[in-house]
Amino acid sequence: MAKDPGRVLIFDTTLRDGEQSPGASLNLEEKLAIAQQLARLGVDVIEAGFPFASHGDFAAVQRIAQQVGGENGPIICGLARASRGDIKACADAVAPAPKRRIHTFIATSDIHLEHKLRKSRKDVLGIVPEMVAYARSFVDDVEFSCEDAGRSDPEFLYEVIEAAIAAGASTVNIPDTVGYTTPSEFGSLIEGINRHVPNIDEAVISVHGHNDLGLAVANFLEAVKAGARQLECTVNGIGERAGNAALEELVMAMHVRRRYFNPFFGREEDSPTPLTAVRTEEITKTSRLVSNLTGMVVQPNKAIVGANAFAHESGIHQDGVLKNRLTYEIVDARTVGLTDNRISLGKLSGRSAVRARLEELGYDLSREDLDDAFARFKDLADRKREITDRDLESIVSVQVQQPDAKYQLKLVQVSCGSSLQPTATVTLADENGQEQTAASVGTGPVDAVCRSLNQLAGEPNELVEFSVKSVTEGIDAMGDVTIRLRRDGQLYSGHSAHTDVVVAAAEAFVNALNRLVAGTAGPTIHPQRDMAELDSSPVR
């Protein structure tokens, strides 16, 4: 049997695979904020990025390794193809972390070998031990993945895994890359690896899977029963195509159904020992942070973290919950950190009170960032009578999300109504402080604002998404706006929150413009590029 650490290790790939969601590209400060929250959440491994993919990704992985990876913190991991250039870049990026890992991979399915890599099985069997050994020359902790394992010939898979472990891999990852397998098939695959790989007792079995058929979480839970002890997942299930297995669903499934899973770990059924090291009370805050920074809204009926996850509409259900919550709730909302706390802060509150509440919420801001957050808080307090934790979280997430700004919004003014032509006047400043003003008409006030901004910036783009949601309840609630712009096939997200949704839209559009400009500064290989193009390059 494979190595058993006595619990399930949670390998979070939100910053790598999650960022490959179209339009979910994150800047360095955003990645750092998410990594710090993942550390508070208690994940075992943070896959911080793909260092060889771009200078920005390398810098982000290195910064996370410096600031998040501590002796008592998570392992900081980087992804690398089975090539010398990738592995060396990954080793350099994760080097500052006391606990570091190189995660290298190559495809093993015949369809990938023939059409993507254009290599034979013999070629792959030669590459794997060489590249795993090369990675091992930099770090003691090496993970090897058989890409598209779910569609690979099991007999060939066994050979590749045995070679990887013999060369020094301490974790072997079995990905269902295209979300093709069913739970029974995936469980059988893990059982087969346990039975037929002679040296499997020297490595932990990990699983990675996508949700193309909606089976990712079910597949992973079946893999756990078969001996998998590391789960590669993302917050809110974000990722390529239909996304990855959702971290919060996996963790809470094993938390709520611990009595069911305990025997598969050789424990007594009623053992109270948690099956993961995740601090479940941090789940809701982590979900909101990732949603705010990526601009990817969580669907209301999403398990565990959706807005309706703990809501009851049916009269029968409401009556039962009022009598005893266990009648219709299997999870206590407080277990995942969901509270309805309203803080006693207003326009007369001081900087120290705001700082203290932010610290309680888990935000450790620098003096400069705190000053900015406090200024935003005071501005909001002048316009909104009751301020909630969600308002504070929105203020901080908007602040963290700001990229290096070429453009700054100085003024936005609109005129509209049932008998008026919607008109917007906008003033924009460039990086030299030069201000320009333009006025435009549009189909509505937001359209008029966007036209004015495009006229001033002169950056070709296509607006492909505009969404607005209320941060909290009430007529004075902040409007949370996400805008996505497209240019040359790439998506750039902007996000802002304000009690005036037109102002929020203008700020979000400028934020997206700044990302667009920054994204075109110099040649890079973006992580969203087709992996087939990357994988077809020769081993270096």
Side-chain angles (χ1 to χ4, degrees):
M1 287 289 289
K3 271 188 181 178
D4 188 347
R7 61 182 173 86
V8 174
L9 306 175
I10 298 298
F11 178 112
D12 184 273
T13 185
T14 302
L15 296 175
R16 201 278 301 169
D17 200 316
E19 202 207 3
Q20 290 175 212
S21 303
S25 184
L26 299 161
N27 65 34
L28 193 150
E29 294 303 322
E30 292 165 354
K31 288 184 178 183
L32 183 61
I34 290 174
Q36 289 169 335
Q37 178 56 31
L38 290 172
R40 286 190 286 268
L41 180 64
V43 303
D44 298 283
V45 185
I46 296 175
E47 189 169 51
F50 189 170
F52 191 80
S54 71
H55 297 301
D57 237 30
F58 181 95
V61 174
Q62 189 174 60
R63 179 90 168 271
I64 291 168
Q66 291 168 342
Q67 297 192 18
V68 180
E71 290 291 349
N72 298 316
I75 296 167
I76 305 303
C77 174
L79 184 68
R81 293 168 296 172
S83 67
R84 290 184 180 272
D86 277 46
I87 291 170
K88 180 63 168 65
C90 187
D92 291 343
V94 301
K99 296 193 293 185
R100 52 194 178 272
R101 174 183 296 185
I102 293 175
H103 179 192
T104 187
F105 71 97
I106 194 167
T108 52
S109 68
D110 288 336
I111 191 169
H112 277 238
L113 296 185
E114 179 183 353
H115 299 288
K116 185 178 73 171
L117 295 182
R118 294 181 173 83
K119 295 184 185 298
S120 67
R121 290 185 177 186
K122 183 178 179 182
D123 292 334
V124 170
L125 280 171
I127 292 168
V128 169
E130 179 189 351
M131 291 301 103
V132 169
Y134 182 63
R136 187 64 190 267
S137 71
F138 295 105
V139 297
D140 293 331
D141 187 351
V142 174
E143 176 173 339
F144 172 73
S145 282
C146 310
E147 188 185 10
D148 204 24
R151 295 189 296 174
S152 297
D153 174 13
E155 296 299 326
F156 178 56
L157 201 60
Y158 304 152
E159 288 186 75
V160 172
I161 292 170
E162 181 181 359
I165 296 172
S170 52
T171 302
V172 289
N173 184 41
I174 313 303
D176 182 17
T177 303
V178 293
Y180 179 73
T181 63
T182 64
S184 61
E185 289 173 326
F186 202 53
S188 295
L189 179 61
I190 303 303
E191 288 175 357
I193 291 168
N194 260 322
R195 283 198 309 269
H196 295 105
V197 176
N199 55 359
I200 194 63
D201 60 329
E202 299 174 27
V204 172
I205 294 179
S206 174
V207 291
H208 175 105
H210 286 263
N211 205 36
D212 298 70
L213 297 178
L215 297 172
V217 169
N219 284 344
F220 276 32
L221 295 176
E222 199 67 23
V224 167
K225 290 162 58 178
R229 290 297 180 263
Q230 178 177 282
L231 305 183
E232 306 199 357
C233 44
T234 61
V235 176
N236 299 335
I238 65 173
E240 285 272 15
R241 304 183 313 279
N244 287 261
L247 180 152
E248 62 279 0
E249 295 178 22
L250 290 165
V251 169
M252 291 309 297
M254 289 184 287
H255 176 83
V256 174
R257 299 304 310 276
R258 186 165 55 222
R259 287 173 60 87
Y260 173 78
F261 285 101
N262 271 336
F264 296 101
F265 291 78
R267 302 179 182 179
E268 293 295 326
E269 188 178 89
D270 58 355
S271 170
T273 306
L275 292 173
T276 75
V278 168
R279 302 177 187 94
T280 61
E281 65 275 9
E282 294 287 333
I283 285 176
T284 295
K285 183 166 62 182
T286 308
S287 169
R288 288 173 178 172
L289 180 67
V290 170
S291 177
N292 285 338
L293 296 187
T294 61
M296 299 192 70
V297 178
V298 176
Q299 68 193 60
N301 62 327
K302 171 78 168 62
I304 311 300
V305 293
N308 295 347
F310 298 96
H312 301 276
E313 184 72 19
S314 163
I316 295 174
H317 288 210
Q318 290 172 344
D319 178 65
V321 168
L322 287 171
K323 291 173 178 174
N324 187 323
R325 300 199 76 85
L326 293 177
T327 55
Y328 288 101
E329 285 188 3
I330 61 171
V331 179
D332 186 334
R334 292 170 296 183
T335 305
V336 296
L338 186 63
T339 64
D340 196 22
N341 184 36
R342 283 185 167 84
I343 60 175
S344 298
L345 293 177
K347 62 182 180 181
L348 299 180
S349 298
R351 188 173 179 275
S352 295
V354 173
R355 182 188 65 224
R357 186 59 192 144
L358 286 171
E359 288 176 352
E360 288 176 23
L361 290 170
Y363 296 102
D364 184 16
L365 302 183
S366 66
R367 178 181 293 273
E368 183 180 340
D369 286 341
L370 180 60
D371 288 343
D372 191 6
F374 183 62
R376 288 172 178 268
F377 165 79
K378 295 294 279 188
D379 180 56
L380 177 61
D382 283 335
R383 290 179 279 108
K384 191 173 188 290
R385 182 175 60 85
E386 191 173 59
I387 294 177
T388 68
D389 288 352
R390 292 296 303 274
D391 291 320
L392 279 182
E393 288 174 347
S394 186
I395 287 170
V396 175
S397 67
V398 168
Q399 181 179 328
V400 168
Q401 199 185 29
Q402 300 301 319
D404 294 333
K406 176 178 179 180
Y407 302 112
Q408 284 192 331
L409 183 69
K410 292 296 184 180
L411 176 143
V412 57
Q413 182 175 306
V414 297
S415 173
C416 60
S418 59
S419 302
L420 297 175
Q421 179 80 45
T423 306
T425 302
V426 174
T427 299
L428 199 63
D430 62 20
E431 68 267 38
N432 299 316
Q434 295 283 335
E435 294 187 7
Q436 288 184 301
T437 301
S440 299
V441 296
T443 57
V446 173
D447 181 51
V449 167
C450 294
R451 289 173 184 269
S452 295
L453 288 169
N454 274 329
Q455 181 181 332
L456 291 170
E459 300 286 351
N461 67 78
E462 177 190 3
L463 195 156
V464 294
E465 182 182 334
F466 169 81
S467 65
V468 59
K469 65 177 182 177
S470 174
V471 174
T472 54
E473 301 84 5
I475 193 67
D476 59 353
M478 295 178 75
D480 202 333
V481 174
T482 297
I483 280 178
R484 297 186 200 275
L485 304 179
R486 179 163 56 204
R487 183 160 83 177
D488 298 331
Q490 292 287 346
L491 291 175
Y492 303 91
S493 295
H495 172 77
S496 188
H498 199 280
T499 52
D500 186 329
V501 293
V502 176
V503 174
E507 291 175 345
F509 195 95
V510 172
N511 185 263
L513 278 176
N514 282 323
R515 285 170 174 272
L516 184 149
V517 173
T520 56
T524 61
I525 301 175
H526 195 276
Q528 285 180 219
R529 283 180 53 185
D530 183 44
M531 296 296 287
E533 180 183 344
L534 292 172
D535 280 343
S536 62
S537 59
V539 174
R540 291 184 292 278

